[in-house]
Amino acid sequence: MLNFLLRRLAAGLVTLFVALFLMYILVNAAIDPLADLIESTAANKEQLIAQRTEQLDLDVNVVIRFFWWIGALFTGDMGEAWQSGQAVSDQLTRAIGSTIELVSAATVLSLLVGVTVGIVSALRQYSAFDYVIIFFSFLLFSLPSFWVAVLLKQWGAIGFNDFLRDPVIAWPVIIGASLLVGLLWALAIGGTARRRVQVFAIAAAANVALLAYVQLTGWWERPQIGPVLLALLGAGSAFAVAGVFAGLHNRRALYAGLTVVALGVALYFPMQVAFDQMTESHWLTALLALVTVAVGYGIGRLYGGPDWRLSARTGAAVALVMGTLIFVDQVMSVWGPYFDALGGRPIPTFGDRTPNLGGNYWVQVLDSFTHLILPTATLVLIAFASYTRYARSSMLEVMNQDYVRTARAKGLPERLVIVRHGFRNALIPLATIVPIDVITLIGGAVITENVFGRPGMGQLFVRSLDHAEIEPVMAYLLVVASLAIIANIVADLVYAAIDPRIRLDA
């Protein structure tokens, strides 16, 4: 393992140096910092050109300037943008922070939804559900991202903000949406005609009840989860996680999940007091998340048994769900002041922060979330199509392997065959694709960032090229190239972790 990492890092450093050298030469040839002066009609034009040439060392050979830049980089100096006078490091920190927010949310959601739907589609091959997913996957994959972004701005922001003036959903719309949801669940679950009818009725009734609750309680004006909904959602997640990880016949795993839910509901009100005293600290939030997962894992471990690891994993997963729900509930608690501060139009269409908003930590978190909704939805819709197709094709290939047929012939439950033998091996191709996709997004979802005006990496790159500023462009390329090399190494490590047949030290 160590030899592999050293070899890859050495090769990566050489690749990085060559790439930066070539890009410096190309960027220098592509931009002209003197263009505005050459076209100027000022009387002292020649003097201004000479001053800028001296300021930017344009009379020095480009190769020498590259090594000057590399030398300064080793001292931690990335230079400054000559037009704005801002330090490149400050610009980069601001841009990469905004992009990482967007990339993290989009990647997690697109993976969860895309892989789940793709696996289900593969298991329901050639069914109506499979054909529906294939159709929508190809449709979303073919749509240009800027068009999706514009539609979301129109209907997801402007339309929804208009709806919030009088948030009433017509009952025919509720019934129609519920029937559609019930139909999708019936197609996804499959089975006999009787089972499909039962699933359809339960899903449609649950959706009607949920929308009726939202409608009748004025939830849009005062959105919250609350202890009752927290208990219901937590119990549902406990059954779902236990069913997938261990099977509902494994009572220890199920009881571990339900115990975590009970503990989460019991801590709901004490946590409200603790959250009120919480100052601005994303690190503290991350620490609380780690503690939450550790407590859930410990509860599952305490249930013991020969398969205690299943109980521990179930407890940790349910704890993460409960912690997320409690966190979201706290963020939603400041919706009223935030709604009033933005004049009743809380879904923004531009930027990543509301200028001069003020408020406490939770108001700032809610503001970040609302600014993430539309660009994240744009990236998720596009990435969902790819991940669904990858997951479906990979799962179909795995489920036709001999070892899967052998597992079924041995009499293993279908859940065990799918989760342990099928799902894990279906993730192998995704282990190569996902890290590269993440780095591509960090490099800048240029179109999405432009449409929504997010000051991210893509915006920094385009703006610096327009302003003929080579230092910010090279800083951008340094970050993206470095992360691309790291992503390839991470992909190899994840690949080896998923597939035990691969040995990195071979």
Side-chain angles (χ1 to χ4, degrees):
M1 172 73 77
L2 182 60
N3 289 333
F4 167 80
L5 288 176
L6 292 176
R7 290 197 308 269
R8 290 299 302 271
L9 287 174
L13 289 174
V14 174
T15 304
L16 179 63
F17 178 82
V18 174
L20 290 177
F21 176 75
L22 293 176
M23 291 307 302
Y24 196 96
I25 302 295
L26 293 173
V27 172
N28 180 76
I31 64 176
D32 185 5
L34 303 176
D36 60 323
L37 295 180
I38 293 174
E39 298 173 357
S40 173
T41 58
N44 60 340
K45 180 171 74 171
E46 296 301 326
Q47 180 183 357
L48 294 174
I49 291 176
Q51 288 177 351
R52 187 173 296 178
T53 300
E54 182 180 0
Q55 174 191 356
L56 301 179
D57 297 317
L58 298 179
D59 54 344
V60 179
N61 185 275
V62 63
V63 177
I64 296 176
R65 280 191 281 132
F66 168 75
F67 282 100
W68 284 355
W69 177 75
I70 285 288
L73 193 63
F74 279 114
T75 65
D77 181 14
M78 289 187 172
E80 65 177 29
W82 63 269
Q83 290 212 35
S84 63
Q86 286 184 310
V88 173
S89 57
D90 294 338
Q91 288 184 319
L92 193 64
T93 301
R94 176 77 172 87
I96 200 170
S98 178
T99 297
I100 285 177
E101 282 185 354
L102 177 60
V103 168
S104 301
T107 301
V108 171
L109 289 175
S110 57
L111 273 175
L112 286 176
V113 178
V115 172
T116 301
V117 172
I119 296 297
V120 175
S121 180
L123 297 177
R124 303 281 301 129
Q125 187 182 18
Y126 302 136
S127 65
F129 178 81
D130 187 33
Y131 289 129
V132 169
I133 296 303
I134 291 174
F135 171 77
F136 279 105
S137 296
F138 281 115
L139 176 64
L140 292 174
F141 190 78
S142 64
L143 294 179
S145 59
F146 68 87
W147 189 69
V148 175
V150 170
L151 286 182
L152 286 175
K153 289 182 74 170
Q154 176 62 42
W155 302 107
I158 299 173
F160 185 73
N161 286 332
D162 292 339
F163 163 77
L164 289 179
R165 294 176 181 174
D166 184 22
V168 176
I169 306 175
W171 283 103
V173 175
I174 292 178
I175 295 173
S178 300
L179 293 176
L180 180 61
V181 169
L183 178 62
L184 288 176
W185 274 105
L187 294 177
I189 299 300
T192 62
R194 180 180 178 182
R195 185 184 182 187
R196 293 185 182 187
V197 171
Q198 290 175 341
V199 171
F200 172 82
I202 293 173
N207 199 70
V208 168
L210 176 62
L211 293 178
Y213 171 82
V214 170
Q215 179 90 320
L216 299 175
T217 59
W219 189 87
W220 295 112
E221 291 88 353
R222 299 177 303 277
Q224 62 177 349
I225 294 178
V228 176
L229 195 56
L230 177 67
L232 292 175
L233 293 175
S237 68
F239 276 95
V241 172
V244 173
F245 282 7
L248 294 180
H249 65 278
N250 189 324
R251 297 303 181 185
R252 283 191 175 92
L254 179 59
Y255 293 157
L258 293 175
T259 302
V260 170
V261 173
L263 179 61
V265 174
L267 292 176
Y268 174 79
F269 291 105
M271 288 304 299
Q272 305 306 305
V273 178
F275 283 146
D276 289 339
Q277 306 301 320
M278 189 171 168
T279 58
E280 183 172 353
S281 175
H282 292 300
W283 291 110
L284 181 57
T285 303
L287 178 62
L288 287 174
L290 292 176
V291 171
T292 300
V293 173
V295 169
Y297 189 90
I299 290 175
R301 179 67 180 89
L302 290 175
Y303 272 91
D307 53 355
W308 63 267
R309 289 182 179 82
L310 292 176
S311 302
R313 287 198 291 267
T314 301
V318 175
L320 182 60
V321 173
M322 292 295 293
T324 302
L325 291 174
I326 294 174
F327 182 83
V328 170
D329 179 79
Q330 179 62 26
V331 173
M332 293 165 67
S333 67
V334 299
W335 176 266
Y338 181 77
F339 184 86
D340 295 335
L342 270 68
R345 304 191 71 81
I347 307 300
T349 60
F350 190 84
D352 63 348
R353 297 288 188 279
T354 300
N356 305 317
L357 176 63
N360 60 14
Y361 171 68
W362 300 106
V363 173
Q364 298 299 323
V365 171
L366 178 59
D367 186 53
S368 298
F369 282 177
T370 55
H371 280 84
L372 278 172
I373 290 175
L374 297 184
T376 299
T378 301
L379 296 179
V380 166
L381 287 174
I382 303 301
F384 162 82
S386 299
Y387 290 146
T388 298
R389 302 302 301 149
Y390 285 132
R392 180 183 181 276
S393 61
S394 181
M395 191 67 175
L396 286 175
E397 181 179 356
V398 167
M399 295 305 287
N400 288 323
Q401 297 296 317
D402 290 339
Y403 60 84
V404 173
R405 285 193 288 269
T406 301
R408 283 177 171 150
K410 288 163 58 179
L412 291 179
E414 187 66 14
R415 181 201 62 81
L416 204 59
V417 173
I418 294 172
V419 174
R420 291 195 181 180
H421 295 273
F423 178 69
R424 179 173 178 175
N425 290 288
L427 292 179
I428 293 177
L430 290 173
T432 303
I433 296 166
V434 172
I436 307 301
D437 284 352
V438 171
I439 300 308
T440 302
L441 289 177
I442 290 179
V446 178
I447 296 176
T448 302
E449 288 182 355
N450 267 306
V451 173
F452 293 106
R454 288 187 66 88
M457 294 287 285
Q459 284 277 67
L460 173 66
F461 178 70
V462 173
R463 184 177 65 250
S464 300
L465 281 179
D466 288 340
H467 293 170
E469 297 172 324
I470 193 170
E471 282 82 5
V473 174
M474 290 307 301
Y476 163 87
L477 294 172
L478 171 66
V479 171
V480 174
S482 301
L483 291 177
I485 293 171
I486 294 173
N488 278 280
I489 297 175
V490 170
D492 288 339
L493 295 176
V494 174
Y495 205 98
I498 294 177
D499 191 345
R501 296 171 296 179
I502 298 174
R503 292 293 180 265
L504 297 177
D505 54 354

